[in-house]
């Protein structure tokens, strides 16, 4: 079984809809991250969390919110999806040595 | 100017060739990561290094901290090495370590 899982893997939705992307990990890492990837651009950080009570904005947090329900779960929400949020979204964890472990990605299309 | 620049952006080679992908960065870092993203989208960590050289099988990563430059080499390349290779640097920003990603190098190995 994968150490970092994301659901759904693919989602097509309409402008204005609320969307939640979920991430779970079995690695026991405190640090979790949400990134988005757009064609021709590097991955960009949306939000990160160092533990259940510590959540921080990344470089592109506008239009997104997160919830760290437990050490193992970190969800990303789009309150009112817009077409320029169409992207590939990755959840990742980080161990104490700094190595990153990525989920398989969620491909989101907003029409 | 991007903080992390990779070259080339695209590389096509024949099976068996020696491959080099370069990464330059403009700021002080605590570590540098090389990641591999397969056509299906998943991202796998290949190396994390802060000095010198690391080797895993046919892959070799080097870093020169003074010159702010890293290279990823693939010896005896194979079609299964075809993927996007991403360089990312770990920066300390506002007391937290964050990754800044390059745009990636798309590698195609033809049989």
């Amino acid at each position: 079984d994968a150490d970092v899982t994301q659901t759904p893997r693919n989602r097509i939705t309409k402008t204005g809809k609320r969307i939640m992307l979920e991430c779970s990990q079995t690695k026991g890492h405190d640090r979790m991250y949400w990134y988005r990837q757009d064609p021709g651009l590097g991955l960009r950080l949306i939000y990160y969390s160092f533990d259940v009570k510590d959540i921080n904005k990344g470089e592109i947090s506008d239009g997104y919110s997160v919830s760290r329900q437990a050490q193992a779960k970190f969800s990303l929400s789009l309150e009112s999806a817009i077409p320029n949020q169409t992207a590939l979204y990755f959840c990742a964890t980080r161990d104490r040595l700094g190595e990153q472990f990525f989920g398989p990605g969620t491909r989101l299309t907003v029409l | 100017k991007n903080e992390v620049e990779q070259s080339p952006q695209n590389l096509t080679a024949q099976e068996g060739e020696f491959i080099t992908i370069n990464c330059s960065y403009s700021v002080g870092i605590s570590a540098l990561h090389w990641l591999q993203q397969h056509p299906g989208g998943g991202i796998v960590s290949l190396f994390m290094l802060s000095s010198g050289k690391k080797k895993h099988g046919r892959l070799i990563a080097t870093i020169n901290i003074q010159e702010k430059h890293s290279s990823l080499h693939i010896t005896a390349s194979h079609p299964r090495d075809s993927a996007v290779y991403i360089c990312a640097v770990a920066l300390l920003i506002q007391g937290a370590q964050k990754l800044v990603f390059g745009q990636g190098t798309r590698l195609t190995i033809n049989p």
Side-chain angles (χ1 to χ4, degrees):
Chain A
D1 287 341
D3 296 318
V4 184
T5 58
Q6 292 181 232
T7 57
R9 295 293 311 280
N10 289 282
R11 182 73 185 267
I12 300 173
T13 191
K14 294 182 179 180
T15 297
K17 294 291 187 182
R18 185 178 188 276
I19 297 298
M20 179 179 285
L21 309 183
E22 298 186 343
C23 176
S24 294
Q25 54 121 343
T26 59
K27 300 192 74 66
H29 295 158
D30 291 324
R31 291 165 168 78
M32 297 187 73
Y33 304 80
W34 274 105
Y35 298 99
R36 69 176 274 177
Q37 185 180 41
D38 297 276
L41 297 178
L43 280 82
R44 292 180 292 167
L45 181 62
I46 307 172
Y47 269 96
Y48 62 102
S49 170
F50 286 171
D51 66 36
V52 174
K53 297 180 182 179
D54 183 6
I55 292 177
N56 305 277
K57 292 183 177 180
E59 59 180 307
I60 53 164
S61 59
D62 287 349
Y64 302 94
S65 62
V66 291
S67 173
R68 185 83 182 264
Q69 301 94 322
Q71 186 201 43
K73 296 185 182 297
F74 191 35
S75 300
L76 176 72
S77 293
L78 288 67
E79 296 301 325
S80 180
I82 56 177
N84 76 1
Q85 291 177 315
T86 293
L88 189 53
Y89 290 85
F90 287 98
C91 174
T93 71
R94 176 179 171 265
D95 67 17
R96 291 189 178 276
L97 297 178
E99 188 167 357
Q100 298 248 329
F101 301 85
F102 289 83
T106 294
R107 189 169 298 279
L108 177 66
T109 303
V110 183
L111 302 176
Chain B
K1 184 180 186 302
N2 292 334
E3 289 172 303
V4 183
E5 296 277 355
Q6 288 185 235
S7 62
Q9 291 188 9
N10 293 280
L11 178 58
T12 299
Q14 291 299 120
E15 184 174 356
E17 288 188 33
F18 182 82
I19 303 299
T20 296
I21 299 170
N22 296 300
C23 177
S24 297
Y25 52 93
S26 57
V27 295
I29 66 172
S30 57
L32 184 142
H33 298 250
W34 281 103
L35 310 169
Q36 181 190 56
Q37 184 172 24
H38 274 285
I43 298 174
V44 175
S45 177
L46 297 175
F47 296 101
M48 182 180 71
L49 63 165
S50 55
S51 65
K53 176 180 175 178
K54 286 190 176 181
K55 183 176 187 292
H56 289 159
R58 294 180 295 106
L59 302 178
I60 304 166
T62 64
I63 188 168
N64 185 316
I65 297 294
Q66 287 73 30
E67 295 187 2
K68 295 186 170 60
H69 181 269
S70 176
S71 293
L72 176 68
H73 304 287
I74 305 176
T75 62
S77 60
H78 190 277
R80 65 174 175 266
D81 297 325
S82 298
V84 175
Y85 292 84
I86 301 169
C87 170
V89 297
L91 306 179
L92 201 58
I93 300 173
Q94 296 176 329
Q97 190 180 83
K98 300 175 188 174
L99 290 187
V100 177
F101 296 81
Q103 295 181 337
T105 294
R106 184 174 299 276
L107 174 65
T108 303
I109 303 295
N110 293 319

